[in-house]
Amino acid sequence: MIQRNEANLHKNWQKELANVVTCPKVLLEMLGLSSQVHENDIKARSLFPVRVPVPFIKKMRRGDVNDPLLLQVMPRHQEFIAKTGFNKDPLEEQDNKQPGLLHKYRSRVLVMFKTGCAVNCRYCFRRHFPYQENQLNKRSLIDALDYIKSDTNINEVILSGGDPLMAKDDAISWFMDELEQLPQIKRMRIHSRLPVVIPSRVTDELCQRLADSPLKIIFINHINHANEIDNEFKTAMQKLKKAGVTLLNQAVILKDVNDSARAQIDLSEALFDADVLPYYLYLLDKVEGASHFDIKEEQARKIVGEMLLALPGFLVPKLVREIGGQQSKTPIDLKLT
């Protein structure tokens, strides 16, 4: 695995974002896999664009076509398979009444703060989401704030997307300024993949703004494999930790990526070494084009059962699935004997 120089931490994250790889052939060539190019796989990018930041590519194993990080972002011909039970809106989100805002849970509201992502994960449950109809500008963010203010049941705001850290620090700071004026809001949650794909995104300015907030800040990483965690990511997490941010992770069980007890145990241990606690372990959302990542529920139960034998309870994430229309995550009964 390629190691990056610590000095690279200070690179401008926006420059790294501007230099993401969007061509599958280039991605494979960078990994010494040019001979592994299959045109039927390349064509799958027409279903969902390829976006992979170079810092993430540098964590992949050269010469390994089955690298677990590569498998998450490389288009595959199986994406053309139409499988019963898989559809374009598995969580029933696309009929949201207010653009850029989802209010599925009574006390929490999700704001699609930025609709773009630094990395396009092939299993993404929002790969078909109409982001062009849900882009938020300052005016629509003010409308979202008015909506939040009008419902006193809401005490937590979730910044999601896309990826909210695609926004600049001053835009996040402005929104926090406004949010902090609403007396019922106790917590702000940030869901992001950027610290693991472009660690330099966790800037000193961002950390200082989070530290200054009277709100409780929770940061949810999206990491599926221990190989995604390196020293640069750990440094980014330490900066957030020093800012008083609660650090959690959610992962998805993906066939051939992390569908073994060993992979999940290693992930939990690597997360804790980075001061991040495992939070949720999801069964795959049944989104069209991702059926080749799916595993049986019984296999997932077995994996978590083995994790319980090998790890302390605080390192075992909750096994859940999300069902469209439900007002909470649905826990998976492990049925241990």
PDB file of all heavy atoms in Angstrom, residues 214-239:
ATOM      1  N   PRO A 214     -21.902  26.289  20.515  1.00  0.00           N
ATOM      2  CA  PRO A 214     -22.585  25.800  21.718  1.00  0.00           C
ATOM      3  C   PRO A 214     -23.335  24.494  21.474  1.00  0.00           C
ATOM      4  O   PRO A 214     -23.767  23.841  22.425  1.00  0.00           O
ATOM      5  CB  PRO A 214     -23.558  26.934  22.039  1.00  0.00           C
ATOM      6  CG  PRO A 214     -23.838  27.581  20.713  1.00  0.00           C
ATOM      7  CD  PRO A 214     -22.546  27.489  19.950  1.00  0.00           C
ATOM      8  N   LEU A 215     -23.477  24.102  20.208  1.00  0.00           N
ATOM      9  CA  LEU A 215     -24.153  22.853  19.884  1.00  0.00           C
ATOM     10  C   LEU A 215     -23.216  21.679  20.119  1.00  0.00           C
ATOM     11  O   LEU A 215     -21.999  21.797  20.019  1.00  0.00           O
ATOM     12  CB  LEU A 215     -24.596  22.851  18.418  1.00  0.00           C
ATOM     13  CG  LEU A 215     -25.516  23.971  17.955  1.00  0.00           C
ATOM     14  CD1 LEU A 215     -25.729  23.881  16.452  1.00  0.00           C
ATOM     15  CD2 LEU A 215     -26.835  23.927  18.685  1.00  0.00           C
ATOM     16  N   LYS A 216     -23.796  20.527  20.423  1.00  0.00           N
ATOM     17  CA  LYS A 216     -23.039  19.289  20.434  1.00  0.00           C
ATOM     18  C   LYS A 216     -22.847  18.858  18.977  1.00  0.00           C
ATOM     19  O   LYS A 216     -23.827  18.735  18.229  1.00  0.00           O
ATOM     20  CB  LYS A 216     -23.785  18.196  21.202  1.00  0.00           C
ATOM     21  CG  LYS A 216     -23.940  18.475  22.689  1.00  0.00           C
ATOM     22  CD  LYS A 216     -22.606  18.357  23.410  1.00  0.00           C
ATOM     23  CE  LYS A 216     -22.794  18.488  24.918  1.00  0.00           C
ATOM     24  NZ  LYS A 216     -21.499  18.414  25.635  1.00  0.00           N
ATOM     25  N   ILE A 217     -21.607  18.627  18.588  1.00  0.00           N
ATOM     26  CA  ILE A 217     -21.307  18.265  17.203  1.00  0.00           C
ATOM     27  C   ILE A 217     -20.938  16.792  17.141  1.00  0.00           C
ATOM     28  O   ILE A 217     -20.065  16.322  17.874  1.00  0.00           O
ATOM     29  CB  ILE A 217     -20.148  19.106  16.627  1.00  0.00           C
ATOM     30  CG1 ILE A 217     -20.410  20.607  16.850  1.00  0.00           C
ATOM     31  CG2 ILE A 217     -19.959  18.790  15.149  1.00  0.00           C
ATOM     32  CD1 ILE A 217     -21.605  21.162  16.125  1.00  0.00           C
ATOM     33  N   ILE A 218     -21.612  16.073  16.256  1.00  0.00           N
ATOM     34  CA  ILE A 218     -21.329  14.654  16.032  1.00  0.00           C
ATOM     35  C   ILE A 218     -20.890  14.497  14.580  1.00  0.00           C
ATOM     36  O   ILE A 218     -21.555  14.998  13.670  1.00  0.00           O
ATOM     37  CB  ILE A 218     -22.569  13.769  16.292  1.00  0.00           C
ATOM     38  CG1 ILE A 218     -23.122  14.001  17.700  1.00  0.00           C
ATOM     39  CG2 ILE A 218     -22.236  12.299  16.095  1.00  0.00           C
ATOM     40  CD1 ILE A 218     -24.279  14.971  17.750  1.00  0.00           C
ATOM     41  N   PHE A 219     -19.773  13.823  14.397  1.00  0.00           N
ATOM     42  CA  PHE A 219     -19.249  13.606  13.047  1.00  0.00           C
ATOM     43  C   PHE A 219     -19.340  12.124  12.706  1.00  0.00           C
ATOM     44  O   PHE A 219     -18.758  11.286  13.399  1.00  0.00           O
ATOM     45  CB  PHE A 219     -17.786  14.069  12.961  1.00  0.00           C
ATOM     46  CG  PHE A 219     -17.310  14.261  11.546  1.00  0.00           C
ATOM     47  CD1 PHE A 219     -17.237  15.522  10.988  1.00  0.00           C
ATOM     48  CD2 PHE A 219     -16.958  13.168  10.771  1.00  0.00           C
ATOM     49  CE1 PHE A 219     -16.830  15.692   9.673  1.00  0.00           C
ATOM     50  CE2 PHE A 219     -16.541  13.325   9.462  1.00  0.00           C
ATOM     51  CZ  PHE A 219     -16.473  14.591   8.912  1.00  0.00           C
ATOM     52  N   ILE A 220     -20.081  11.807  11.649  1.00  0.00           N
ATOM     53  CA  ILE A 220     -20.260  10.426  11.220  1.00  0.00           C
ATOM     54  C   ILE A 220     -19.421  10.180   9.975  1.00  0.00           C
ATOM     55  O   ILE A 220     -19.710  10.697   8.892  1.00  0.00           O
ATOM     56  CB  ILE A 220     -21.735  10.097  10.908  1.00  0.00           C
ATOM     57  CG1 ILE A 220     -22.663  10.592  12.018  1.00  0.00           C
ATOM     58  CG2 ILE A 220     -21.897   8.588  10.671  1.00  0.00           C
ATOM     59  CD1 ILE A 220     -22.518   9.888  13.324  1.00  0.00           C
ATOM     60  N   ASN A 221     -18.356   9.392  10.142  1.00  0.00           N
ATOM     61  CA  ASN A 221     -17.575   8.965   8.993  1.00  0.00           C
ATOM     62  C   ASN A 221     -18.301   7.837   8.259  1.00  0.00           C
ATOM     63  O   ASN A 221     -19.106   7.118   8.856  1.00  0.00           O
ATOM     64  CB  ASN A 221     -16.205   8.447   9.454  1.00  0.00           C
ATOM     65  CG  ASN A 221     -15.318   9.548   9.979  1.00  0.00           C
ATOM     66  OD1 ASN A 221     -14.759  10.319   9.209  1.00  0.00           O
ATOM     67  ND2 ASN A 221     -15.187   9.631  11.298  1.00  0.00           N
ATOM     68  N   HIS A 222     -17.987   7.677   6.983  1.00  0.00           N
ATOM     69  CA  HIS A 222     -18.515   6.565   6.187  1.00  0.00           C
ATOM     70  C   HIS A 222     -17.307   5.758   5.712  1.00  0.00           C
ATOM     71  O   HIS A 222     -16.700   6.086   4.682  1.00  0.00           O
ATOM     72  CB  HIS A 222     -19.324   7.064   4.995  1.00  0.00           C
ATOM     73  CG  HIS A 222     -20.600   7.740   5.380  1.00  0.00           C
ATOM     74  ND1 HIS A 222     -21.664   7.859   4.512  1.00  0.00           N
ATOM     75  CD2 HIS A 222     -21.015   8.332   6.522  1.00  0.00           C
ATOM     76  CE1 HIS A 222     -22.668   8.494   5.110  1.00  0.00           C
ATOM     77  NE2 HIS A 222     -22.281   8.803   6.334  1.00  0.00           N
ATOM     78  N   ILE A 223     -16.937   4.723   6.459  1.00  0.00           N
ATOM     79  CA  ILE A 223     -15.752   3.925   6.171  1.00  0.00           C
ATOM     80  C   ILE A 223     -16.140   2.460   6.208  1.00  0.00           C
ATOM     81  O   ILE A 223     -16.773   2.007   7.168  1.00  0.00           O
ATOM     82  CB  ILE A 223     -14.637   4.199   7.202  1.00  0.00           C
ATOM     83  CG1 ILE A 223     -14.283   5.690   7.201  1.00  0.00           C
ATOM     84  CG2 ILE A 223     -13.404   3.348   6.921  1.00  0.00           C
ATOM     85  CD1 ILE A 223     -13.328   6.088   8.314  1.00  0.00           C
ATOM     86  N   ASN A 224     -15.744   1.724   5.183  1.00  0.00           N
ATOM     87  CA  ASN A 224     -16.159   0.331   5.064  1.00  0.00           C
ATOM     88  C   ASN A 224     -15.043  -0.681   5.253  1.00  0.00           C
ATOM     89  O   ASN A 224     -15.323  -1.867   5.429  1.00  0.00           O
ATOM     90  CB  ASN A 224     -16.787   0.099   3.678  1.00  0.00           C
ATOM     91  CG  ASN A 224     -18.039   0.913   3.471  1.00  0.00           C
ATOM     92  OD1 ASN A 224     -18.918   0.935   4.328  1.00  0.00           O
ATOM     93  ND2 ASN A 224     -18.110   1.605   2.350  1.00  0.00           N
ATOM     94  N   HIS A 225     -13.793  -0.232   5.216  1.00  0.00           N
ATOM     95  CA  HIS A 225     -12.683  -1.184   5.281  1.00  0.00           C
ATOM     96  C   HIS A 225     -11.514  -0.562   6.039  1.00  0.00           C
ATOM     97  O   HIS A 225     -11.252   0.644   5.924  1.00  0.00           O
ATOM     98  CB  HIS A 225     -12.247  -1.578   3.869  1.00  0.00           C
ATOM     99  CG  HIS A 225     -11.407  -2.816   3.831  1.00  0.00           C
ATOM    100  ND1 HIS A 225     -10.048  -2.806   4.089  1.00  0.00           N
ATOM    101  CD2 HIS A 225     -11.729  -4.120   3.590  1.00  0.00           C
ATOM    102  CE1 HIS A 225      -9.570  -4.031   4.003  1.00  0.00           C
ATOM    103  NE2 HIS A 225     -10.569  -4.851   3.701  1.00  0.00           N
ATOM    104  N   ALA A 226     -10.803  -1.392   6.783  1.00  0.00           N
ATOM    105  CA  ALA A 226      -9.687  -0.911   7.594  1.00  0.00           C
ATOM    106  C   ALA A 226      -8.606  -0.244   6.749  1.00  0.00           C
ATOM    107  O   ALA A 226      -7.912   0.673   7.232  1.00  0.00           O
ATOM    108  CB  ALA A 226      -9.087  -2.075   8.397  1.00  0.00           C
ATOM    109  N   ASN A 227      -8.446  -0.656   5.497  1.00  0.00           N
ATOM    110  CA  ASN A 227      -7.404  -0.076   4.646  1.00  0.00           C
ATOM    111  C   ASN A 227      -7.669   1.384   4.291  1.00  0.00           C
ATOM    112  O   ASN A 227      -6.776   2.068   3.779  1.00  0.00           O
ATOM    113  CB  ASN A 227      -7.258  -0.880   3.349  1.00  0.00           C
ATOM    114  CG  ASN A 227      -6.659  -2.250   3.578  1.00  0.00           C
ATOM    115  OD1 ASN A 227      -6.332  -2.620   4.699  1.00  0.00           O
ATOM    116  ND2 ASN A 227      -6.523  -3.025   2.508  1.00  0.00           N
ATOM    117  N   GLU A 228      -8.875   1.875   4.556  1.00  0.00           N
ATOM    118  CA  GLU A 228      -9.176   3.276   4.303  1.00  0.00           C
ATOM    119  C   GLU A 228      -8.568   4.184   5.372  1.00  0.00           C
ATOM    120  O   GLU A 228      -8.465   5.398   5.180  1.00  0.00           O
ATOM    121  CB  GLU A 228     -10.697   3.490   4.248  1.00  0.00           C
ATOM    122  CG  GLU A 228     -11.380   2.709   3.144  1.00  0.00           C
ATOM    123  CD  GLU A 228     -12.887   2.889   3.137  1.00  0.00           C
ATOM    124  OE1 GLU A 228     -13.351   4.028   3.329  1.00  0.00           O
ATOM    125  OE2 GLU A 228     -13.617   1.889   2.952  1.00  0.00           O
ATOM    126  N   ILE A 229      -8.184   3.605   6.490  1.00  0.00           N
ATOM    127  CA  ILE A 229      -7.702   4.373   7.633  1.00  0.00           C
ATOM    128  C   ILE A 229      -6.177   4.409   7.616  1.00  0.00           C
ATOM    129  O   ILE A 229      -5.522   3.371   7.713  1.00  0.00           O
ATOM    130  CB  ILE A 229      -8.223   3.756   8.946  1.00  0.00           C
ATOM    131  CG1 ILE A 229      -9.755   3.826   8.966  1.00  0.00           C
ATOM    132  CG2 ILE A 229      -7.618   4.445  10.164  1.00  0.00           C
ATOM    133  CD1 ILE A 229     -10.403   3.073  10.104  1.00  0.00           C
ATOM    134  N   ASP A 230      -5.621   5.621   7.478  1.00  0.00           N
ATOM    135  CA  ASP A 230      -4.174   5.780   7.487  1.00  0.00           C
ATOM    136  C   ASP A 230      -3.797   6.911   8.436  1.00  0.00           C
ATOM    137  O   ASP A 230      -4.657   7.460   9.143  1.00  0.00           O
ATOM    138  CB  ASP A 230      -3.643   6.036   6.073  1.00  0.00           C
ATOM    139  CG  ASP A 230      -4.211   7.303   5.435  1.00  0.00           C
ATOM    140  OD1 ASP A 230      -4.956   8.049   6.123  1.00  0.00           O
ATOM    141  OD2 ASP A 230      -3.902   7.567   4.261  1.00  0.00           O
ATOM    142  N   ASN A 231      -2.528   7.264   8.464  1.00  0.00           N
ATOM    143  CA  ASN A 231      -2.068   8.281   9.417  1.00  0.00           C
ATOM    144  C   ASN A 231      -2.664   9.647   9.142  1.00  0.00           C
ATOM    145  O   ASN A 231      -2.923  10.410  10.087  1.00  0.00           O
ATOM    146  CB  ASN A 231      -0.537   8.359   9.401  1.00  0.00           C
ATOM    147  CG  ASN A 231       0.108   7.154  10.065  1.00  0.00           C
ATOM    148  OD1 ASN A 231      -0.493   6.509  10.925  1.00  0.00           O
ATOM    149  ND2 ASN A 231       1.331   6.842   9.668  1.00  0.00           N
ATOM    150  N   GLU A 232      -2.902   9.977   7.896  1.00  0.00           N
ATOM    151  CA  GLU A 232      -3.497  11.271   7.584  1.00  0.00           C
ATOM    152  C   GLU A 232      -4.937  11.344   8.083  1.00  0.00           C
ATOM    153  O   GLU A 232      -5.374  12.378   8.607  1.00  0.00           O
ATOM    154  CB  GLU A 232      -3.418  11.539   6.085  1.00  0.00           C
ATOM    155  CG  GLU A 232      -1.998  11.747   5.596  1.00  0.00           C
ATOM    156  CD  GLU A 232      -1.952  12.200   4.144  1.00  0.00           C
ATOM    157  OE1 GLU A 232      -2.949  12.768   3.668  1.00  0.00           O
ATOM    158  OE2 GLU A 232      -0.917  11.994   3.506  1.00  0.00           O
ATOM    159  N   PHE A 233      -5.667  10.263   7.920  1.00  0.00           N
ATOM    160  CA  PHE A 233      -7.031  10.226   8.464  1.00  0.00           C
ATOM    161  C   PHE A 233      -6.992  10.343   9.988  1.00  0.00           C
ATOM    162  O   PHE A 233      -7.790  11.082  10.584  1.00  0.00           O
ATOM    163  CB  PHE A 233      -7.731   8.935   8.057  1.00  0.00           C
ATOM    164  CG  PHE A 233      -9.071   8.746   8.722  1.00  0.00           C
ATOM    165  CD1 PHE A 233     -10.184   9.442   8.287  1.00  0.00           C
ATOM    166  CD2 PHE A 233      -9.211   7.896   9.809  1.00  0.00           C
ATOM    167  CE1 PHE A 233     -11.418   9.289   8.908  1.00  0.00           C
ATOM    168  CE2 PHE A 233     -10.433   7.738  10.438  1.00  0.00           C
ATOM    169  CZ  PHE A 233     -11.535   8.436   9.981  1.00  0.00           C
ATOM    170  N   LYS A 234      -6.082   9.626  10.633  1.00  0.00           N
ATOM    171  CA  LYS A 234      -5.976   9.690  12.090  1.00  0.00           C
ATOM    172  C   LYS A 234      -5.667  11.113  12.557  1.00  0.00           C
ATOM    173  O   LYS A 234      -6.215  11.576  13.560  1.00  0.00           O
ATOM    174  CB  LYS A 234      -4.894   8.731  12.581  1.00  0.00           C
ATOM    175  CG  LYS A 234      -5.255   7.260  12.444  1.00  0.00           C
ATOM    176  CD  LYS A 234      -4.118   6.375  12.943  1.00  0.00           C
ATOM    177  CE  LYS A 234      -4.443   4.900  12.792  1.00  0.00           C
ATOM    178  NZ  LYS A 234      -3.323   4.042  13.255  1.00  0.00           N
ATOM    179  N   THR A 235      -4.804  11.794  11.815  1.00  0.00           N
ATOM    180  CA  THR A 235      -4.492  13.186  12.165  1.00  0.00           C
ATOM    181  C   THR A 235      -5.724  14.072  12.060  1.00  0.00           C
ATOM    182  O   THR A 235      -5.984  14.919  12.914  1.00  0.00           O
ATOM    183  CB  THR A 235      -3.372  13.710  11.250  1.00  0.00           C
ATOM    184  OG1 THR A 235      -2.192  12.927  11.444  1.00  0.00           O
ATOM    185  CG2 THR A 235      -3.056  15.171  11.558  1.00  0.00           C
ATOM    186  N   ALA A 236      -6.500  13.862  11.003  1.00  0.00           N
ATOM    187  CA  ALA A 236      -7.742  14.631  10.839  1.00  0.00           C
ATOM    188  C   ALA A 236      -8.704  14.370  11.993  1.00  0.00           C
ATOM    189  O   ALA A 236      -9.343  15.291  12.513  1.00  0.00           O
ATOM    190  CB  ALA A 236      -8.400  14.275   9.503  1.00  0.00           C
ATOM    191  N   MET A 237      -8.806  13.108  12.424  1.00  0.00           N
ATOM    192  CA  MET A 237      -9.699  12.781  13.533  1.00  0.00           C
ATOM    193  C   MET A 237      -9.202  13.398  14.843  1.00  0.00           C
ATOM    194  O   MET A 237     -10.013  13.837  15.680  1.00  0.00           O
ATOM    195  CB  MET A 237      -9.823  11.263  13.678  1.00  0.00           C
ATOM    196  CG  MET A 237     -10.573  10.578  12.536  1.00  0.00           C
ATOM    197  SD  MET A 237     -12.285  11.174  12.291  1.00  0.00           S
ATOM    198  CE  MET A 237     -12.060  12.280  10.874  1.00  0.00           C
ATOM    199  N   GLN A 238      -7.897  13.455  15.036  1.00  0.00           N
ATOM    200  CA  GLN A 238      -7.368  14.071  16.245  1.00  0.00           C
ATOM    201  C   GLN A 238      -7.709  15.553  16.303  1.00  0.00           C
ATOM    202  O   GLN A 238      -8.003  16.095  17.379  1.00  0.00           O
ATOM    203  CB  GLN A 238      -5.850  13.868  16.316  1.00  0.00           C
ATOM    204  CG  GLN A 238      -5.428  12.458  16.684  1.00  0.00           C
ATOM    205  CD  GLN A 238      -6.032  12.000  18.006  1.00  0.00           C
ATOM    206  OE1 GLN A 238      -5.911  12.672  19.031  1.00  0.00           O
ATOM    207  NE2 GLN A 238      -6.719  10.859  17.975  1.00  0.00           N
ATOM    208  N   LYS A 239      -7.678  16.212  15.160  1.00  0.00           N
ATOM    209  CA  LYS A 239      -8.049  17.626  15.119  1.00  0.00           C
ATOM    210  C   LYS A 239      -9.514  17.815  15.502  1.00  0.00           C
ATOM    211  O   LYS A 239      -9.862  18.726  16.265  1.00  0.00           O
ATOM    212  CB  LYS A 239      -7.781  18.191  13.723  1.00  0.00           C
ATOM    213  CG  LYS A 239      -6.299  18.301  13.396  1.00  0.00           C
ATOM    214  CD  LYS A 239      -6.053  18.572  11.919  1.00  0.00           C
ATOM    215  CE  LYS A 239      -6.535  19.932  11.483  1.00  0.00           C
ATOM    216  NZ  LYS A 239      -6.139  20.218  10.078  1.00  0.00           N
TER     217      LYS A 239
END
